Structures are given as C-alpha cells and as structure tokens.
Amino acid sequence: MQLVRESFGLQEHANHVGNKGSSAPYMDIFITPTPNRKHQHRLTTMLCDKREHPPLSALFIIKFSQISSNISDTAKYNIITSQFHRYRRTILWRKDLLYRLAALLEGFKQQAI
C-alpha cells in the first residue's frame, strides 16, 4: 500500500484535499477549483472517504467481502467493475482516480496473500 501512496503522490493528494479555504465537502466528494494550463479555474471533484481520517482511521473496517469467501467469482469481479464506474462518475481529478483504483486493487491483492 505504501508503494501505491508513493506512486500517486499521496502527499500532494493530502495537500490538495486539505486546502480548506477553496474546497468544499459535499456528501462523499470534495469540490475544489483547480487551475488548468490556461490559468483558468475549473471545478474538480475528489473522493472523500471518512474512513481515512480520524477517528474512523483507527478502526479496522471491512469494505468488501474476503476474496476467499463463498460468493460467486462473478460477484467478486463485479465489485471491481462497479467501483471503477462509481469512481469514474464522481472523481474528476485524474490523480485521485488513479490512486483510488490502485488502492482498490492493492486491497484485493493483500486479501489474496
């Protein structure tokens, strides 16, 4: 998981989300203005997972069923597909999207070990 955080610049992600002056949480996303190449601002959304911040970050919370559980293989693979579509619809900041997808796959990989 550390490799995933380093690969996608988690510190930059934390700084971007932590910029409270210009971003606003709305349900499960952060809405924030982001400058583009023409120095114009556009609205960007990032996922806001309450389980990543205190006090919930200290708890062990199961997000998905174990890969070795008794559910069908198609249901297990549909979790990845459905999460991809959920992330794709709600996250506009590309680095956050890639980070979330990599973290999802890394989580399933850790379960398989």
Side-chain angles (χ1 to χ4, degrees):
M1 194 57 147
Q2 184 63 29
L3 179 62
V4 171
R5 290 180 182 157
E6 291 171 1
S7 298
F8 292 101
L10 183 62
Q11 188 60 43
E12 181 182 347
H13 176 266
N15 291 341
H16 200 70
V17 171
N19 186 1
K20 304 264 189 240
S22 61
S23 64
Y26 176 74
M27 298 181 77
D28 287 341
I29 61 172
F30 273 105
I31 302 172
T32 184
T34 305
N36 61 13
R37 291 185 184 124
K38 297 178 184 177
H39 301 289
Q40 300 168 337
H41 286 280
R42 64 183 178 93
L43 290 180
T44 301
T45 58
M46 297 169 287
L47 191 66
C48 174
D49 192 348
K50 296 169 192 74
R51 297 172 289 199
E52 295 176 353
H53 308 287
L56 295 178
S57 63
L59 301 175
F60 177 72
I61 300 174
I62 298 173
K63 296 180 185 178
F64 304 106
S65 58
Q66 283 287 334
I67 199 134
S68 61
S69 65
N70 200 17
I71 61 174
S72 69
D73 286 340
T74 55
K76 291 176 190 174
Y77 290 113
N78 283 338
I79 291 172
I80 295 171
T81 305
S82 64
Q83 283 298 102
F84 167 74
H85 290 299
R86 176 178 165 247
Y87 291 160
R88 185 182 54 85
R89 282 193 314 266
T90 57
I91 301 172
L92 295 177
W93 194 38
R94 184 176 299 160
K95 283 188 178 183
D96 190 44
L97 176 66
L98 294 175
Y99 167 73
R100 299 293 174 174
L101 290 173
L104 175 70
L105 295 175
E106 181 68 20
F108 278 115
K109 187 174 132 184
Q110 290 297 323
Q111 283 185 6
I113 294 176

